[in-house]
Amino acid sequence: MKILLVEDEKNLRATIISFLKEEGYCCEQADTIGLALEKLSLYEYDCLLLDIGLPDGNGLDLIQKLKTEHPETGIIVISAKNSLEDKVTGLDLGADDYIAKPFNLTELNSRIKSIFRRIKFGGKKEIVIDCLHIFPENRQVFVYGQLIVLTKKEFDLLIYFISNPQRVLTKEAIAEHLWGDFADSVDSFDFVYSQIKNLRHKLLEKTGIDYIQNIYASGYSFNPNK
């Protein structure tokens, strides 16, 4: 899952980013509305963690714009103000959840997972595709009860594919989703080819089904019902 954290408190921002990366998320950060808007215009995110009090304005101003342009992106409002008015305003504008400072990072993680399940998979904790049984929260995939051992990036790639079934995903989109800003600094996408090749091989070996289709000159598509 790819997350954008918009928070101007440097130490808190670093703490949240460090924790979420350890939990397996691809994270980017912004400390102003201006920088957040720039990133949102260039990239897509699964979830936005949004502070209200920012140096150049009110974070709530981002919510309606984001929900209009990217309705599939989840939003959690983060604020030092534990007021009913801020909570109601944020939710009315389209935010999915609200958490007040100070908060427990484990609780934040649980809320992120809940939003991801609700938006991407209709609230399901288990996704079943043919003989594949996928558990996003546990980062596990089973075939006929047997665990398929995937690396972190291979699992993230699988989730990205199943979240976009039968949609052509370019190598640039895959790289940006899995590696964030790092993808802009590379000269080739060999690392994308490698991850796709490995995931494709593991799925084919265990299921006998080649789910990932190479679309000539365009990208890749995940087709669960061949």
Side-chain angles (χ1 to χ4, degrees):
M1 182 191 295
K2 187 173 182 183
I3 295 175
L4 175 61
L5 170 64
V6 186
E7 168 62 61
D8 65 321
E9 293 183 35
K10 183 178 179 180
N11 292 336
L12 177 59
R13 188 171 68 248
T15 298
I16 295 174
I17 289 291
S18 176
F19 172 80
L20 293 179
K21 284 185 175 180
E22 288 181 2
E23 291 296 313
Y25 298 105
C26 176
C27 302
E28 296 180 15
Q29 54 188 296
D31 57 1
T32 64
I33 291 177
L35 182 56
L37 285 171
E38 180 181 337
K39 287 182 174 289
L40 289 167
S41 68
L42 295 173
Y43 309 114
E44 292 184 5
Y45 298 91
D46 295 303
C47 187
L48 178 70
L49 305 180
L50 178 63
D51 186 24
I52 290 180
L54 295 167
D56 55 344
N58 191 321
L60 293 175
D61 295 337
L62 283 174
I63 297 177
Q64 193 168 18
K65 177 178 176 61
L66 180 61
K67 280 300 182 180
T68 298
E69 298 178 357
H70 302 284
E72 72 285 356
T73 299
I75 300 176
I76 298 178
V77 172
I78 299 175
S79 176
K81 302 175 182 179
N82 191 14
S83 74
L84 178 62
E85 181 181 356
D86 288 329
K87 181 177 181 179
V88 170
T89 300
L91 295 175
D92 283 347
L93 286 172
D96 299 279
D97 204 349
Y98 182 104
I99 191 168
K101 301 176 186 178
F103 53 83
N104 186 286
L105 291 173
T106 302
E107 179 186 358
L108 176 63
N109 190 25
S110 295
R111 294 184 183 222
I112 292 171
K113 289 179 178 179
S114 177
I115 287 175
F116 186 65
R117 284 199 311 270
R118 184 167 68 250
I119 291 175
K120 297 293 184 179
F121 305 117
K124 298 177 182 178
K125 291 188 176 183
E126 176 185 5
I127 299 99
V128 179
I129 300 174
D130 301 327
C131 57
L132 290 172
H133 291 251
I134 304 164
F135 298 86
E137 290 192 17
N138 298 329
R139 304 182 69 81
Q140 292 180 325
V141 182
F142 291 88
V143 175
Y144 302 120
Q146 182 179 2
L147 178 68
I148 300 180
V149 179
L150 300 178
T151 66
K152 174 186 174 298
K153 289 301 183 187
E154 289 167 359
F155 185 85
D156 290 344
L157 178 59
L158 176 60
I159 292 296
Y160 188 41
F161 272 130
I162 67 175
S163 299
N164 297 275
Q166 299 179 331
R167 173 185 171 189
V168 177
L169 302 175
T170 66
K171 58 183 180 296
E172 291 85 358
I174 293 171
E176 184 270 321
H177 187 84
L178 297 182
W179 284 272
D181 289 340
F182 169 76
D184 292 336
S185 62
V186 300
D187 296 324
S188 74
F189 291 96
D190 289 346
F191 56 96
V192 174
Y193 304 140
S194 177
Q195 295 295 334
I196 291 176
K197 178 183 176 181
N198 292 340
L199 175 62
R200 191 175 191 174
H201 172 74
K202 290 180 179 181
L203 293 179
L204 181 59
E205 182 181 43
K206 296 297 184 181
T207 68
I209 302 172
D210 190 5
Y211 287 106
I212 302 173
Q213 181 181 1
N214 187 350
I215 309 299
Y216 180 72
S218 298
Y220 302 87
S221 177
F222 187 87
N223 298 282
N225 297 310
K226 288 188 175 182

